[in-house]
Amino acid sequence: MQIHIQQIGPGMVQQIQTVCIECKGQGERINPKDRCESCSGAKVIREKKIIEVHVEKGMKDGQKILFHGEGDQEPELEPGDVIIVLDQKDHSVFQRRGHDLIMKMKIQLSEALCGFKKMIKTLDDRVLIITSKPGEVVKHGDLKCVRNEGMPIYKAPLEKGALIIQFLVIFPEKHWLSQDNLLQLEALLPPRQKVRITDDMDQVELKEFNPNEQNWRQHREAYEEDDDGPRAGVQCQTA
């Protein structure tokens, strides 16, 4: 440290303590003629170094890769480590869940009823052909899987999880078929349930419903507030 004494008035002095400019608080000073030309006596230099990171098959989001002793270095101190944390990007088709891959596939109603063949391009640029045989009805939301086509397992790259496929059945638009053809189609499908209507029953009309409509939201909020909201009580009085 350096101590500076400065007179600020008659009979009054001020003492100021500061870090030594020569040693920068280290307690030692290197003779200018003996100083390193690269660091000018600072004992460390700044340099850039390229580290090659190998991401192995099956590594997960948030997994860490450690490079021991590659951090900042200081005299008389052990250098630190460089830690790489993996941040897995989202994929437009596949969603990872552990060792499994999940995807959604849209199919037409005719394919759901009569069978289909579909192509799937994998993450390693292979093409898989999946087949649904005629008579194997695929329902909307059904889940099926292909074994050993998921993510490779870390430290066991020859083993893989499953590829899970959720099927979304696309139904035709309104009035897509004529009345005559509808009758022919109905004859091929399983019979619909018959309902016996009596005079004491009320027949109503089905309408399109949109849960995002403002009127519906207001009714729902009022209903929830009425059921769950606080209700005022009656205060009892004592004489």
Side-chain angles (χ1 to χ4, degrees), residues 7 23 26 30 44 52 57 63-64 72-73 75 85 92 115 132 135 137-138 142 188 194-195 202 205 211 215 224 236:
Q7 185 175 359
C23 73
Q26 298 297 319
I30 301 175
V44 292
E52 189 172 348
K57 291 182 177 181
Q63 191 166 343
K64 298 178 180 179
D72 290 341
Q73 299 181 5
V85 182
S92 59
S132 173
V137 176
V138 178
D142 274 359
L188 298 174
K194 295 182 179 180
V195 177
D202 295 331
E205 184 180 358
N215 293 337
E224 293 175 351
C236 298

Side-chain angles (χ1 to χ4, degrees), residues 106-122:
K106 295 181 179 180
I107 58 175
Q108 298 295 328
L109 179 60
S110 58
E111 295 176 316
L113 297 175
C114 305
F116 60 83
K117 288 183 181 291
K118 292 285 188 180
M119 294 189 304
I120 300 176
K121 187 175 182 180
T122 63

Side-chain angles (χ1 to χ4, degrees), residues 112-190:
L113 297 175
C114 305
F116 60 83
K117 288 183 181 291
K118 292 285 188 180
M119 294 189 304
I120 300 176
K121 187 175 182 180
T122 63
L123 294 174
D124 54 356
D125 290 332
R126 293 181 297 117
V127 177
L128 306 178
I129 303 295
I130 60 173
T131 303
S132 173
K133 298 178 181 178
E136 296 180 356
V137 176
V138 178
K139 299 178 182 179
H140 183 78
D142 274 359
L143 296 173
K144 296 183 180 294
C145 74
V146 181
R147 302 290 183 184
N148 298 319
E149 288 297 343
M151 290 294 296
I153 299 177
Y154 183 56
K155 297 297 184 182
L158 297 181
E159 300 180 17
K160 294 182 179 180
L163 172 60
I164 301 173
I165 306 170
Q166 182 181 26
F167 291 96
L168 307 177
V169 180
I170 302 175
F171 283 80
E173 299 294 336
K174 295 180 180 179
H175 311 300
W176 67 284
L177 201 59
S178 65
Q179 188 65 30
D180 294 339
N181 290 331
L182 279 176
L183 295 175
Q184 297 179 16
L185 178 62
E186 183 178 0
L188 298 174
L189 295 175

Side-chain angles (χ1 to χ4, degrees), residues 26-40:
Q26 298 297 319
E28 61 179 3
R29 175 178 175 273
I30 301 175
N31 193 308
K33 68 178 182 179
D34 298 329
R35 291 178 184 175
C36 168
E37 295 182 358
S38 299
C39 69
S40 300

